[in-house]
Amino acid sequence: MTFRFSRLAFAGSLAALGLPALAQTEVKIAYALATDSHYGVAAQKFEEVVLTETGDQFTFNHFPSSGLGGEREVIEGLQIGTVEATIVSSGTLANFVPDTGVFDIPFLFRDLDHARAVLDGPIGQEILAKFHDVGLHGLAWGEQGFRHITNNRNPIETPADVEGLKIRTMENPVHLKAFNAMGAAPTPMAWPEVISALQQGVIDGQENPLSVIVSVRLDEVQDYLTLSGHVYSPAMLLVSRSFWDGLDDSQKAAFGKAAAEAVTAMRGYIDDVETNGVETLKERGMTVNALSNAEKARFQESISSAYDDYYDTYGRDLVDSIVTFE
Ligand code: PAF
């Protein structure tokens, strides 16, 4: 018979017996944005709940603002066990679990409630569970909001306005396909390179949700904001599989509870910034326009060839079941 008694579980037992505690286990948590962003708020809540639930068994070290590199590098760090936890966008997730890319399809979700219901429901949870097979453990889906286009070239109202636009996309094949179909000149790029590429004019624009545009102060390097809402941007709270496997059941429950509360905090931040973010960006000097539903329909029409590929890759039934999910 094999006994698997982790160091973490052992620490819990010592505490229960009133014996001196082992050294605390460090949780390095890395994310691309600042501590006052939706990621930072969620990471703080995550830490707070884990500490409340487990006493002094863990100590957290935060690496905000891409302090441990781009999102792909951080996820690879989780796989080899050099980083314990992260909050990431869906940018590179499909490289680890290809099915994740279905949620990156433009114009898939009606609104935030629709996206949250799908991600928290059976379709989202089934895909989340697949991270367990690739050296990771998906704790929960978070979110960033709907992505919008910013640029320094011109206001955008029709697909013709993005013709040849040098726009940075995430390293995400689904997004890349859409911007190519639109006639833009997309460049996939890791986030840590984006601000200097905008400053140096290597790219004209980028696309991100209000949560990012406001918290990163993209208004300092971009003139125009078009509220295109062309795609929903999920996020994920992930831990390293080797770290997860070393937790005992009560610690796993604590991390699960902490992830759920972190997501509630993250979604609360998104609700606020979706309400107030545009006003903030106008006050900071951005020229803002919003696409009407008819204008959005023209953008959707312009990427119909990409949709053919999405149906081939993910299956029309799955895409339709997400679109019609109530
Ligand atoms: O655009 C991206 O790469 C992501 O949205 C960001 C800003 C790194 C947040 O995860």
Side-chain angles (χ1 to χ4, degrees):
M1 185 188 291
T2 310
F3 287 100
R4 292 197 70 240
F5 197 55
S6 76
R7 187 183 164 284
L8 296 176
F10 184 56
S13 310
L14 287 180
L17 293 169
L19 295 170
L22 292 177
Q24 293 168 310
T25 300
E26 184 191 25
V27 179
K28 290 188 282 308
I29 181 162
Y31 38 97
L33 302 167
T35 49
D36 63 356
S37 68
H38 49 300
Y39 287 178
V41 163
Q44 291 299 337
K45 178 55 81 179
F46 186 58
E47 169 179 359
E48 187 187 306
V49 177
V50 168
L51 297 189
T52 307
E53 294 292 313
T54 63
D56 60 359
Q57 297 173 28
F58 298 91
T59 179
F60 277 70
N61 255 326
H62 291 245
F63 294 87
S65 305
S66 306
L68 292 183
E71 293 187 332
R72 181 201 288 265
E73 282 169 274
V74 169
I75 298 171
E76 286 167 356
L78 263 68
Q79 284 182 313
I80 58 175
T82 54
V83 187
E84 284 74 34
T86 188
I87 300 172
V88 285
S89 69
S90 62
T92 65
L93 285 181
N95 295 307
F96 298 90
V97 173
D99 292 357
T100 311
V102 73
F103 299 131
D104 294 311
I105 295 178
F107 306 107
L108 184 75
F109 293 110
R110 295 183 293 278
D111 51 31
L112 292 177
D113 285 342
H114 178 203
R116 291 171 184 178
V118 171
L119 294 174
D120 293 346
I123 301 173
Q125 294 306 301
E126 195 179 310
I127 292 179
L128 186 74
K130 295 189 176 176
F131 284 81
H132 202 73
D133 301 333
V134 294
L136 301 162
H137 183 81
L139 283 174
W141 287 101
E143 78 181 3
Q144 305 211 80
F146 279 88
R147 300 178 83 89
H148 306 293
I149 301 173
T150 67
N151 85 103
N152 284 332
R153 198 183 72 174
N154 50 267
I156 291 164
E157 281 163 9
T158 70
D161 298 323
V162 298
E163 190 69 42
L165 188 77
K166 286 183 274 165
I167 184 164
R168 175 267 177 175
T169 65
M170 299 196 289
E171 298 164 286
N172 179 310
V174 177
H175 288 193
L176 192 59
K177 203 163 278 171
F179 279 97
N180 270 321
M182 246 179 242
T187 306
M189 194 182 278
W191 177 250
E193 297 161 37
V194 173
I195 303 296
S196 64
L198 287 170
Q199 280 165 332
Q200 290 161 16
V202 176
I203 45 174
D204 302 311
Q206 64 84 54
E207 47 86 61
N208 249 304
L210 289 170
S211 55
V212 176
I213 302 169
V214 170
S215 67
V216 175
R217 296 198 75 102
L218 279 172
D219 44 277
E220 291 176 356
V221 286
Q222 294 278 261
D223 297 333
Y224 301 106
L225 164 63
T226 300
L227 298 170
S228 47
H230 51 278
V231 66
Y232 175 76
S233 197
M236 190 178 281
L237 212 169
L238 278 166
V239 290
S240 156
R241 169 79 192 268
S242 54
F243 174 76
W244 180 254
D245 287 346
L247 301 179
D248 66 24
D249 286 349
S250 73
Q251 290 164 335
K252 283 181 179 163
F255 275 78
K257 180 169 190 234
E261 293 196 28
V263 167
T264 303
M266 195 177 334
R267 288 176 176 170
Y269 184 109
I270 300 304
D271 287 336
D272 279 355
V273 80
E274 295 278 326
T275 311
N276 306 315
V278 171
E279 222 30 62
T280 306
L281 293 167
K282 282 184 183 162
E283 281 163 18
R284 294 185 192 162
M286 284 192 106
T287 302
V288 183
N289 72 297
L291 295 186
S292 65
N293 285 340
E295 285 165 337
K296 277 192 195 178
R298 251 178 269 150
F299 276 89
Q300 187 164 8
E301 176 56 32
S302 78
I303 61 162
S304 55
S305 62
Y307 257 82
D308 293 339
D309 283 340
Y310 300 149
Y311 291 142
D312 282 350
T313 307
Y314 300 107
R316 177 133 203 175
D317 287 353
L318 176 61
V319 177
D320 287 349
S321 68
I322 295 173
V323 171
T324 56
F325 193 88
E326 295 290 343

